[in-house]
Amino acid sequence: MNRLGIIGCVATAAFCASTANAAPPPERVAFTGGTILPIVGDRIENGTVLVERGVIVAIGGEVEIPYDAFEVDCTGLVIMPGMIHPHSSDGLDVANEALPVAPFLDVGDALDPSALFFENALREGITSVHVIQANNTVIGGVSRVVHPIGLSVSEMTARADVALKLSTSPRRGSDRMVQMAQLREAFLALDDAIAKLAEAKYEEKLKEDEKPMDVGPAEARERGMALLEDRDYDELHLNLVRLRRGELGAWIYAGAAMDVAPALRVARDQGFHEQTVLVIDGDAHLAAREIADAGVRVVLPSQLFHRERDPISGELIETFVPTVFHEAGVTFALQPNPSDSFAERFLNYQAALLVRHGVPRQVALESITINPATMMGMGDRVGSLEVGKDANILVLSGDPLDFNTRVESVYIDGALAYERESDTRLQELLRLQRRQDNGASGPARSNNSNNSNSNNNNNNNNDDSDDNDRARNGRNDANNRSNQE
C-alpha cells in the first residue's frame, strides 16, 4: 500500500473512531434560520427542520422548537437532503469477479470501510452510496446502500439486498452472442433447478403423509412449487428466485443502443420488468424513446456528453445526453466521476451542467436526490426533506448548483457526520496550499530585494568612484598651482 493509502486508512479510522467514541447525539435537533430546499415541496425561507431520534418530525417556516432541542443555527445557509451516489463499485477490493455468473455474491463481503472514497464522498455532500458491482459481468452479486461513514460494514449499511447487477453488453474478451447465451443459460438452469426441487419436495411430502405418488412428473412439479421455501434453494439460484419474486431490483448495464432492447426483453421475459433500472453508456441515448415506452428508469453515464463523427460528412456531433432523456420523459439519476480531476467528480456540478443546458432546475436537483433514492427502493426514507424520513441533511454555504458553494456540515440520521472546520485532512491541504502560495511569492520578493540591494551597491560604487575622481582632480590642481608658484 502506498503512503497516501496508509494515511487515508489511518485518518479515516481515526475520524470514525472519534465519532464512535463521542457522546451520543442529542435526541432532538432543530436546524433553524436557513433556506430549505426540501426537493419535494416548495422552497422555504428562514425555515426550520426539526429532527427527533434521527427522523424528521417537522419542517416549515413556523415550527415550534422543543425546549430541550439542540439548535443548529443555519442563518445565511442552505439546508437540503444529502446527495445520493446511485452506482459505484468504489470501496470494493475488486470491481468484478472473474466468474461471469455469480448471483450468490454480496458486495458487503468485499467492502472496505476505510477506503478513502467514502471519506471524500462525505466531504462532497454524499450521504448514501449504492455500492454495486461494475459492468464487466453477466450476472453479478447483490448490492447494498451504505452511509459513507462507519467502522464496519454493518454500521455503514442503510439497506442490504438492494439489487442484482446484470449486463447485456459483452464482457471484456467476449462478444454479444456469448453474453446473451450465458444470460439465457443462467435462467434456463434456474428453471430446471426449480422444477427438480419442486418435484422432489412433493415426493417428500407424500412420504411424510405415507401416501403413494398419485400424479405424473409435470403435476408433481406444479404441486411442489407451493411447498418450496428459501432454504430449499442453493446459493447459485436463491437470489435469482428473489429477483423474480420482486424482492431484489435488476440493474442492467446497456453500454450501447443495441443492448437496450435485449435488456428490456430479458426483464419482461423473466418477470422483473417493474423493478428494472438501466445503467447506460455510449450511444444508448439513441434508444431513449424505447426506454420511455417501457417505463424504465436510467442511470446516466458520468460523461454527460456523447460525441461521434458523422460517417458521411465527418462532422463532429455532440449530444447532451440528459436533455435527450428529459425530453423523452424518462426519469434518470446522475453519477459523478470520482477518478476525474475536473469538476465532473462532484454530483452538484453534474446537476448544474443540466441547468446550463436547459434542463429545469427541479429536474436537476431530483436527479441527485429523490430519483436515485426511488430507484434503490428507498424513496420513503431518503432523497428529500419530509416528515417521517431519515434526517440525512446537508448544510451548505450557498446554492447547491453554484460551484463556489461549500459543504459546511453533513448530518446522517440526525447526527453530525462531517464538519468542514473540523476536517483535518482538508485543513492541512489548505494550510499547505497557503504555504506554497506564500513560498511562491517569497522568493520573488527576495529577488527584488537582492536586485534592489545590488542596484544600491552599484549606485554607492558609482558615488565612490565620482568622489575619488573629484579627489584626484583636486590634488592635481593643487600640484599644478604649487609648480606655478
Side-chain angles (χ1 to χ4, degrees), residues 159-180:
R159 185 192 172 194
D161 297 346
V162 176
L164 282 177
K165 182 64 174 289
L166 297 86
S167 175
T168 53
S169 294
R171 299 172 69 230
R172 284 191 295 271
S174 183
D175 58 56
R176 284 180 169 83
M177 287 190 294
V178 172
Q179 184 80 12
M180 294 308 300

Side-chain angles (χ1 to χ4, degrees), residues 91-398:
L92 299 178
D93 55 357
V94 292
N96 285 109
E97 299 294 335
L99 294 172
V101 178
F104 48 84
L105 297 177
D106 188 323
V107 297
D109 295 329
L111 200 61
D112 180 9
S114 68
L116 187 60
F117 162 75
F118 293 117
E119 180 185 336
N120 287 332
L122 189 64
R123 180 180 291 116
E124 292 160 11
I126 295 173
T127 57
S128 300
V129 181
H130 183 207
V131 181
I132 187 169
Q133 287 192 288
N135 306 319
N136 189 37
T137 187
V138 175
I139 300 178
V142 180
S143 66
R144 67 176 55 206
V145 176
V146 301
H147 298 312
I149 186 171
L151 290 171
S152 66
V153 173
S154 60
E155 187 179 338
M156 297 173 70
T157 298
R159 185 192 172 194
D161 297 346
V162 176
L164 282 177
K165 182 64 174 289
L166 297 86
S167 175
T168 53
S169 294
R171 299 172 69 230
R172 284 191 295 271
S174 183
D175 58 56
R176 284 180 169 83
M177 287 190 294
V178 172
Q179 184 80 12
M180 294 308 300
Q182 290 179 322
L183 197 54
R184 286 191 296 267
E185 176 62 27
F187 287 105
L188 288 173
L190 173 64
D191 291 333
D192 185 58
I194 292 174
K196 291 178 180 178
L197 281 173
E199 186 176 351
K201 194 75 174 180
Y202 184 67
E203 290 177 359
E204 182 182 334
K205 184 178 186 305
L206 289 178
K207 288 181 181 179
E208 291 176 357
D209 297 341
E210 297 182 350
K211 294 180 180 179
M213 177 63 72
D214 54 352
V215 296
E219 181 65 22
R221 287 193 290 269
E222 185 175 343
R223 294 184 181 186
M225 291 289 291
L227 304 175
L228 290 175
E229 300 175 296
D230 283 356
R231 63 184 180 182
D232 297 320
Y233 299 103
D234 60 22
E235 288 186 344
L236 181 61
H237 299 113
L238 176 57
N239 286 330
L240 293 178
V241 172
R242 296 176 64 203
L243 175 64
R244 282 180 169 175
R245 290 198 306 233
E247 297 172 9
L248 293 173
W251 286 50
I252 309 177
Y253 175 66
M258 66 183 299
D259 300 324
V260 170
L264 297 176
R265 183 171 59 251
V266 168
R268 283 193 299 266
D269 293 347
Q270 299 302 325
F272 49 79
H273 175 268
E274 294 296 326
Q275 69 261 30
T276 292
V277 173
L278 289 184
V279 182
I280 67 160
D281 206 347
D283 65 352
H285 62 278
L286 298 176
R289 180 50 57 193
E290 289 75 10
I291 295 172
D293 293 342
V296 173
R297 299 155 296 181
V298 301
V299 174
L300 301 184
S302 57
Q303 175 53 259
L304 298 180
F305 294 91
H306 179 262
R307 298 176 178 89
E308 62 180 348
R309 290 199 176 274
D310 186 283
I312 298 176
S313 67
E315 178 186 0
L316 182 64
I317 303 172
E318 182 177 83
T319 303
F320 189 63
V321 176
T323 300
V324 176
F325 283 98
H326 171 64
E327 293 176 349
V330 177
T331 299
F332 59 83
L334 300 178
Q335 54 179 325
N337 187 355
S339 62
D340 200 317
S341 59
F342 297 101
E344 284 80 2
R345 65 189 302 267
F346 300 102
L347 260 179
N348 57 325
Y349 177 83
Q350 297 283 70
L353 274 179
L354 267 63
V355 177
R356 180 179 180 181
H357 287 82
V359 177
R361 173 186 172 87
Q362 181 64 23
V363 173
L365 290 173
E366 289 173 356
S367 68
I368 58 175
T369 52
I370 190 63
N371 288 355
T374 304
M375 294 176 188
M376 300 182 310
M378 297 184 67
D380 60 336
R381 289 181 52 190
V382 297
S384 63
L385 300 181
E386 298 178 81
V387 172
K389 286 195 171 185
D390 298 352
N392 293 350
I393 296 174
L394 302 185
V395 179
L396 308 175
S397 63

Side-chain angles (χ1 to χ4, degrees), residues 359-437:
V359 177
R361 173 186 172 87
Q362 181 64 23
V363 173
L365 290 173
E366 289 173 356
S367 68
I368 58 175
T369 52
I370 190 63
N371 288 355
T374 304
M375 294 176 188
M376 300 182 310
M378 297 184 67
D380 60 336
R381 289 181 52 190
V382 297
S384 63
L385 300 181
E386 298 178 81
V387 172
K389 286 195 171 185
D390 298 352
N392 293 350
I393 296 174
L394 302 185
V395 179
L396 308 175
S397 63
D399 187 283
L401 302 186
D402 184 343
F403 196 61
N404 291 318
T405 292
R406 302 184 305 273
V407 176
E408 298 294 343
S409 55
V410 179
Y411 292 78
I412 295 179
D413 293 334
L416 180 64
Y418 172 81
E419 193 171 36
R420 179 181 171 85
E421 64 181 22
S422 303
D423 187 340
T424 305
R425 188 191 302 277
L426 178 62
Q427 297 305 323
E428 177 65 14
L429 289 174
L430 293 175
R431 186 185 68 81
L432 292 175
Q433 183 63 50
R434 287 193 295 270
R435 174 188 288 183
Q436 184 178 358
D437 292 343

